[in-house]
């Protein structure tokens, strides 16, 4: 135990060291605010750029793609502005108009370097010194940066309804060049528009989404209360209801597929039309309904096969769930423990996110020489903007500038920054697994106190959940941390393998890809096994209070002595609980579907106007499933604990008056009867 407690102490010390390093060295402003060519933040309060929150690029044609823009590595002068330009103009046009009126220059100069006010300076010198942009185009702020305002009209890409324009050297340019220079910006703009519509849909329907989630919460509680009294009937009803719902889905998909197959143009494949933000486009294709039909048919066949060949084990699983419902009924506080787990996971996630931001922003401002000529020997060399004008770079490379490039450094700290990020990820996985382990051990201790009570509920100790939580924190922290560390290391290995696989996707090394695929498969199996063993080890820790290694060994040996029961019952109970989650999420989802698609006559006026009805619908379905999962995860832990206690009960007792079984008579008769079969 002392070794395990020492491991936990080292975890705390490592957390403190890494957090201090990241928070002392980091500066999250580098992530929040865009940075101009002088390393100054745009839009930061208390600075000259406080009212200039958007980054403007002098010559956006030099930028290769949006990734270059977002990473602030475009080889052109970047300056903070209060607003983006809203019209076409060139420096040459402004020079000619300045002889008549100063108004165009007053507008244009806000996009020049601060302090520059010489519209008579020759255009060649202005472009060489990058005092002003050679041209400005109508733009919109996106990601706090000025991007060309692309609009597609009748299939033609335009900017301010124009397809061609001229630069300061009177060279004809096309909007296509802007698009090529910032490849993918149209996709980003489309994504922004879709994102805005989704936000509007959430703003219009958030109250109805909340009502749907509350409905899922109430249905889950009612379902669990009904399990307390009618476990067998309710579970068989759930099974039959899921089978009938899927059967209706199969019939509906077949009907839609048959109708669309006869319509011209409906045989287009999903690959041909590509990604579309309007889901209704996919529902007009026969291939979509064929995919739904095959998927639902496979699920229906799997459920029927399981029920036919494992019907006796299903009866045992129902008996275990019935016994579990009694335990949950006596210790109702366990149903709300997932809220504590959720809050702890939120704290862990927040710590990880904040530390990652500080680590990512802990570099120093790096300046590099941006040369106007491609053959400059100093191009992309690091420089110091304070002493740049005193060097020979300007003479060797006319027009060269020392501009901000990125955040980084050459110190040992910066060289090992990637290692610190990996260690931060490992600690995050460790904390998450420890939080889950704490919840599992706490619930196992509470339900074990129910099982081993001779007279139920008289002998159940007071406040069993709080007592179990206190024991886990006081005596078993090291054991839980050690088990969580093992799982975190395996998960870290899987993440590294996934990263390597993404890097090797373009490679032609078949042998390396094969080995990597095998390793990914092996580590996936290893993670599943470690999760299974950890879960049962935590149950044994809660029952006997032994260390992790001894508890894992005892749990493994006990499960191996009951391998037939484990292999079937564990999966069958998970399957039944999964059907319960699907039934709750599906029933609430069906109601939400009829509501948001205006198919409920009594709620026609209350339904909000939406761009995409599937936004609140999917939110309600996903949220309902998570709520049901939170409640049913308590049930799953209860069943696993009762099953291990049952196996231990059979080995320790023989049913005599001296050593009576502590299981209920109904559970004992069903398990014994099933074993004889």
């Amino acid at each position: 135990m002392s070794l395990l407690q020492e491991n936990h102490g080292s975890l705390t010390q490592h957390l403190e060291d890494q957090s201090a390093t990241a928070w002392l060295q980091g500066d999250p402003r580098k992530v929040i605010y865009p940075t101009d060519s002088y390393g100054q933040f745009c839009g930061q309060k208390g600075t000259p750029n406080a009212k200039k929150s958007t980054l403007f690029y002098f010559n956006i044609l030099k930028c290769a793609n949006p990734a270059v823009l977002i990473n602030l590595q475009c080889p052109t002068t970047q300056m903070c502005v209060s607003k983006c330009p809203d019209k076409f103009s060139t420096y040459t046009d402004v020079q000619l108009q300045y002889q008549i009126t100063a108004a165009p220059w007053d507008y244009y100069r806000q996009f020049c370097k601060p302090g520059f006010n010489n519209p008579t300076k020759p255009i060649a010198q202005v472009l060489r010194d990058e005092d002003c942009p050679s041209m400005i185009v109508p733009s919109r702020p996106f990601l706090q940066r000025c991007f060309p305002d692309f609009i597609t009209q009748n299939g033609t890409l335009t900017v301010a309804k124009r397809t061609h324009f001229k630069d300061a050297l009177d060279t004809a340019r096309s909007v296509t060049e802007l698009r090529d220079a910032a490849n993918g910006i149209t996709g980003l703009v489309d994504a922004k528009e879709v994102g805005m519509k989704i936000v509007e849909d959430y703003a219009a329907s958030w109250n109805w989404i909340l009502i749907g989630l509350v409905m899922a919460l109430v249905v889950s509680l009612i379902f669990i209360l009904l399990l307390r009294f009618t476990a067998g009937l309710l579970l068989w009803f759930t099974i039959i209801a899921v089978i009938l719902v899927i059967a209706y889905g199969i019939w509906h998909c077949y009907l839609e597929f048959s109708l669309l197959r006869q319509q011209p143009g409906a045989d287009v494949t999903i690959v041909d039309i590509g990604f579309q933000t309007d889901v209704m486009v996919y529902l007009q294709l026969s291939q979509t309904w064929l995919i739904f039909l095959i998927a639902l048919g496979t699920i229906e066949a799997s459920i029927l096969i399981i029920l036919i060949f494992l019907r006796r084990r299903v009866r045992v699983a129902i008996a275990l769930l019935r016994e579990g419902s009694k335990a949950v009924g006596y210790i109702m506080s366990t149903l709300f423990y997932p809220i504590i787990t959720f809050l702890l996971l939120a704290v862990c996630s927040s710590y990880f996110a904040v530390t990652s931001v500080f680590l990512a922003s802990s570099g120093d401002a790096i300046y590099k020489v941006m040369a106007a000529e491609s053959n400059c020997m100093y191009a992309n060399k690091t420089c110091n903007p304070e002493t740049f004008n005193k060097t020979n770079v300007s003479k060797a490379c006319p027009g060269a500038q020392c501009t901000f490039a990125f955040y980084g450094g050459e110190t040992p700290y910066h060289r090992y920054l990637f290692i610190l990020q990996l260690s931060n990820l490992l600690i995050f996985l460790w904390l998450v697994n420890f939080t889950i382990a704490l919840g599992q051990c706490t619930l196992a201790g509470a339900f074990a106190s129910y099982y081993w009570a001779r007279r139920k509920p008289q002998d159940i100790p007071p406040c069993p959940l709080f007592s179990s939580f206190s024991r886990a924190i006081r005596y078993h922290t090291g054991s839980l941390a050690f088990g969580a560390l093992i799982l975190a290391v395996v998960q870290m290995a899987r993440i590294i393998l996934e990263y390597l696989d993404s890097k090797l996707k373009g490679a032609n090394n078949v042998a390396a890809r094969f080995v990597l695929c095998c390793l990914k498969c092996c580590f996936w199996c290893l993670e599943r096994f470690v999760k299974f063993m950890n879960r049962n080890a935590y149950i044994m820790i809660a029952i006997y209070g032994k260390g992790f290694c001894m508890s894992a060994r005892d749990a493994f040996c006990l499960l191996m002595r009951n391998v037939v029961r484990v292999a079937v019952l564990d999966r069958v109970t998970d399957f039944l609980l999964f059907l319960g989650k699907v039934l709750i999420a599906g029933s609430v989802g069906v109601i939400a579907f009829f509501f948001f698609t205006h198919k409920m006559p009594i709620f026609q006026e209350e339904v909000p106007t939406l761009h995409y009805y599937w936004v609140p619908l999917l939110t309600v379905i996903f949220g309902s499933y998570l709520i049901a999962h939170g409640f049913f995860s308590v049930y799953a832990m209860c069943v696993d604990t009762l099953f291990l206690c049952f196996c231990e009960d059979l080995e320790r007792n023989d049913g005599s008056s001296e050593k009576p079984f502590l299981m209920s008579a109904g559970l004992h008769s069903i398990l014994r009867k099933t074993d004889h079969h």
Side-chain angles (χ1 to χ4, degrees):
M1 181 66 72
S2 61
L3 175 60
L4 297 177
Q5 297 291 354
E6 183 179 344
N7 284 337
H8 179 62
S10 64
L11 164 62
T12 306
Q13 184 63 37
H14 193 85
L15 278 170
E16 293 174 353
D17 292 344
Q18 178 168 283
S19 300
T21 303
W23 294 342
L24 287 174
Q25 298 282 344
D27 187 353
R29 296 177 303 173
K30 300 171 184 175
V31 178
I32 299 173
Y33 303 104
T35 312
D36 63 12
S37 296
Y38 309 102
Q40 298 174 344
F41 302 117
C42 297
Q44 186 192 355
K45 294 181 179 179
T47 66
N49 291 331
K51 297 182 179 180
K52 300 177 180 180
S53 59
T54 311
L55 194 68
F56 172 73
Y57 298 88
F58 269 32
N59 189 355
I60 199 170
L61 295 175
K62 291 185 178 180
C63 306
N65 53 57
V68 170
L69 301 181
I70 295 169
N71 291 328
L72 302 176
Q73 295 177 2
C74 183
T76 186
T77 300
Q78 301 155 28
M79 191 180 68
C80 301
V81 295
S82 57
K83 63 178 182 179
C84 297
D86 56 9
K87 59 183 178 181
F88 282 103
S89 184
T90 66
Y91 184 80
T92 305
D93 293 339
V94 171
Q95 274 190 322
L96 295 175
Q97 295 171 358
Y98 183 73
Q99 300 174 6
I100 303 173
T101 175
W105 170 247
D106 292 336
Y107 176 82
Y108 198 90
R109 63 179 290 196
Q110 63 182 320
F111 305 107
C112 299
K113 287 183 178 179
F116 181 77
N117 190 15
N118 184 12
T120 60
K121 186 175 180 178
I123 179 63
Q125 297 180 18
V126 170
L127 297 182
R128 182 197 65 192
D129 300 335
E130 292 205 23
D131 295 318
C132 285
S134 63
M135 62 181 177
I136 56 175
V137 298
S139 304
R140 280 185 182 181
F142 182 50
L143 300 175
Q144 289 185 274
R145 293 156 178 85
C146 292
F147 285 150
D149 187 10
F150 290 114
I151 298 176
T152 302
Q153 294 183 338
N154 300 323
T156 303
L157 190 66
T158 65
V159 172
K161 299 182 180 181
R162 293 171 60 175
T163 58
H164 294 82
F165 57 95
K166 292 184 178 181
D167 61 14
L169 300 178
D170 206 31
T171 303
R173 299 279 191 173
S174 69
V175 172
T176 307
E177 292 183 70
L178 285 176
R179 182 197 62 192
D180 295 339
N183 184 28
I185 286 185
T186 51
L188 291 175
V189 172
D190 289 341
K192 178 193 174 186
E193 292 177 356
V194 172
M196 290 299 296
K197 290 179 180 179
I198 290 175
V199 170
E200 291 174 1
D201 287 345
Y202 275 124
S205 61
W206 68 269
N207 51 340
W208 295 106
I209 293 174
L210 192 60
I211 291 173
L213 297 180
V214 171
M215 188 184 301
L217 178 66
V218 173
V219 172
S220 299
L221 285 173
I222 294 174
F223 193 92
I224 287 173
L225 292 175
L226 290 176
L227 276 177
R228 174 72 175 82
F229 305 102
T230 59
L233 179 63
L234 187 60
L235 287 170
W236 280 115
F237 170 78
T238 300
I239 294 171
I240 295 172
V242 170
I243 291 175
L244 292 178
V245 168
I246 296 176
Y248 170 77
I250 292 173
W251 174 79
H252 182 74
C253 292
Y254 177 75
L255 190 64
E256 292 286 345
F257 173 71
S258 301
L259 293 174
L260 288 173
R261 191 170 53 176
Q262 300 172 2
Q263 295 181 5
D267 57 347
V268 179
T269 64
I270 296 176
V271 177
D272 291 336
I273 66 171
F275 175 74
Q276 301 291 329
T277 57
D278 188 1
V279 180
M280 298 303 296
V281 174
Y282 297 104
L283 298 182
Q284 303 301 319
L285 305 179
S286 60
Q287 187 186 60
T288 303
W289 294 103
L290 179 62
I291 293 173
F292 289 159
L293 179 64
I294 295 173
L296 291 176
T298 304
I299 295 172
E300 185 85 334
S302 302
I303 294 175
L304 292 175
I305 290 172
I306 291 174
L307 292 176
I308 292 172
F309 290 98
L310 301 176
R311 57 187 181 277
R312 289 196 180 95
R313 298 296 176 182
V314 170
R315 291 181 62 239
V316 177
I318 290 176
L320 276 172
L321 288 172
R322 186 185 296 114
E323 192 71 17
S325 66
K326 293 179 182 178
V328 173
Y330 288 130
I331 316 174
M332 288 293 290
S333 56
T334 55
L335 290 175
F336 301 98
Y337 185 83
I339 298 176
I340 298 176
T341 301
F342 173 78
L343 293 176
L344 292 175
L345 290 177
V347 172
C348 296
S349 301
S350 301
Y351 164 81
F352 170 73
V354 171
T355 306
S356 297
V357 168
F358 271 88
L359 283 173
S361 61
S362 59
D364 299 322
I366 301 298
Y367 298 85
K368 289 195 173 184
V369 176
M370 295 296 177
E373 301 174 357
S374 58
N375 58 351
C376 176
M377 60 182 297
Y378 296 103
N380 293 323
K381 299 290 185 180
T382 56
C383 58
N384 186 342
E386 296 180 359
T387 61
F388 181 74
N389 293 330
K390 300 177 182 178
T391 63
N392 295 326
V393 178
S394 299
K395 297 179 180 179
C397 305
Q401 293 184 341
C402 182
T403 60
F404 169 80
F406 55 87
Y407 289 104
E410 301 297 332
T411 65
Y413 169 78
H414 294 106
R415 285 199 296 267
Y416 293 104
L417 198 58
F418 181 71
I419 303 298
L420 291 176
Q421 287 282 23
L422 288 180
S423 64
N424 183 42
L425 177 60
L426 177 62
I427 291 172
F428 169 69
L429 296 174
W430 194 355
L431 289 173
V432 167
N433 289 318
F434 176 79
T435 301
I436 295 173
L438 178 62
Q440 292 175 344
C441 189
T442 299
L443 292 173
F447 293 127
S449 66
Y450 160 83
Y451 185 93
W452 297 111
R454 289 187 178 275
R455 296 178 303 157
K456 302 175 178 65
Q458 292 86 351
D459 291 343
I460 298 176
C463 302
L465 183 67
F466 179 76
S467 300
S468 179
F469 181 79
S470 301
R471 287 195 303 271
I473 291 291
R474 182 175 181 182
Y475 299 110
H476 309 314
T477 305
S479 299
L480 300 180
F482 184 65
L485 176 62
I486 295 174
L487 182 57
V489 170
V490 175
Q491 291 172 335
M492 190 70 183
R494 284 197 64 199
I495 292 174
I496 293 174
L497 289 174
E498 290 291 344
Y499 173 77
L500 294 176
D501 184 44
S502 65
K503 291 296 183 182
L504 290 175
K505 278 186 177 179
N508 296 322
N509 194 331
V510 179
R513 293 294 305 277
F514 175 76
V515 172
L516 197 59
C517 184
C518 293
L519 287 174
K520 286 171 59 179
C521 180
C522 292
F523 273 91
W524 179 85
C525 296
L526 179 61
E527 182 184 1
R528 300 286 295 182
F529 176 76
V530 171
K531 280 185 177 180
F532 177 76
M533 286 308 306
N534 279 8
R535 185 182 180 91
N536 290 282
Y538 299 147
I539 295 174
M540 298 300 285
I541 289 173
I543 296 173
Y544 292 107
K546 298 179 181 179
F548 176 82
C549 295
M550 191 174 295
S551 297
R553 184 200 64 187
D554 293 343
F556 180 77
C557 294
L558 182 62
L559 293 173
M560 288 299 100
R561 291 193 294 269
N562 298 271
V563 65
V564 177
R565 292 193 185 106
V566 174
V568 179
L569 287 181
D570 185 63
R571 294 298 95 195
V572 172
T573 51
D574 287 346
F575 171 70
L576 292 177
L577 293 176
F578 172 73
L579 291 183
K581 299 174 197 175
V582 171
L583 180 64
I584 293 172
S587 59
V588 177
V590 168
I591 296 174
F593 172 77
F594 283 111
F595 176 79
F596 289 118
T597 54
H598 300 267
K599 294 183 179 179
M600 285 187 175
I602 58 176
F603 292 112
Q604 286 290 338
E605 296 182 359
E606 287 80 5
V607 180
T609 303
L610 303 171
H611 299 287
Y612 310 114
Y613 73 86
W614 49 265
V615 171
L617 176 62
L618 291 180
T619 304
V620 169
I621 293 175
F622 184 68
S624 300
Y625 184 85
L626 288 181
I627 290 172
H629 176 74
F631 285 110
F632 280 77
S633 63
V634 175
Y635 252 89
M637 197 66 206
C638 179
V639 170
D640 289 347
T641 302
L642 295 181
F643 179 71
L644 272 186
C645 291
F646 164 77
C647 296
E648 191 73 11
D649 195 9
L650 287 179
E651 294 189 356
R652 289 170 52 177
N653 303 310
D654 54 12
S656 63
S657 57
E658 293 82 10
K659 294 182 177 181
F661 290 123
L662 296 179
M663 71 187 75
S664 65
L667 180 62
H668 178 254
S669 62
I670 291 178
L671 287 170
R672 281 296 190 187
K673 190 184 299 183
T674 307
D675 289 342
H676 291 320
H677 285 287

